[in-house]
């Protein structure tokens, strides 16, 4: 048996599973792929913000409280020149 451990974006892992390039992957569920998912663990959703932001007064916040707040996220992943 050969085991290879690597890291990639969830949609790329799901595509690898569908195309038979991967046998198993740990990823977030993506309904765009016809895969069977089994929850093996859960992780908290963490928000980073300046220490003087009004929401820092709460121990926990609901995602709805983030509506209208500036949000920074990666939109596209970078591909190497050969892809």
């Amino acid at each position: 048996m050969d085991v290879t451990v690597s890291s990639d974006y969830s949609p790329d892992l799901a595509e690898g599973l569908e195309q038979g390039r991967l046998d198993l992957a740990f990823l977030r569920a993506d309904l765009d792929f016809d895969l069977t998912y089994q929850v093996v663990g859960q992780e908290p959703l963490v928000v980073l913000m300046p220490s003087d932001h009004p929401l820092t007064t709460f121990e926990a916040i609901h995602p709805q409280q983030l509506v209208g707040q500036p949000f920074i996220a990666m939109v596209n992943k970078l591909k190497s020149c050969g892809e």
Side-chain angles (χ1 to χ4, degrees), residues 10 13-14 16-17 22-28 35-38 40:
S10 289
L13 293 170
L17 289 166
L22 299 174
D23 296 316
L24 172 74
F26 294 94
L27 58 125
R28 291 178 174 83
L35 300 171
T36 300
Y37 295 91
Q38 177 66 43
V40 295

Side-chain angles (χ1 to χ4, degrees), residues 3-4 12 15 18-19 21 25 27 36 40 49 54-55 57 64-66 69 72 74 77 80:
V3 176
T4 302
D12 292 340
E15 183 178 304
E18 276 197 334
Q19 294 179 355
R21 294 189 319 265
L27 58 125
T36 300
V40 295
M49 62 188 82
L55 291 176
T57 60
Q64 278 299 115
Q65 290 175 275
L66 299 173
Q69 296 293 321
I72 300 172
M74 292 198 53
K77 74 173 194 170
S80 66

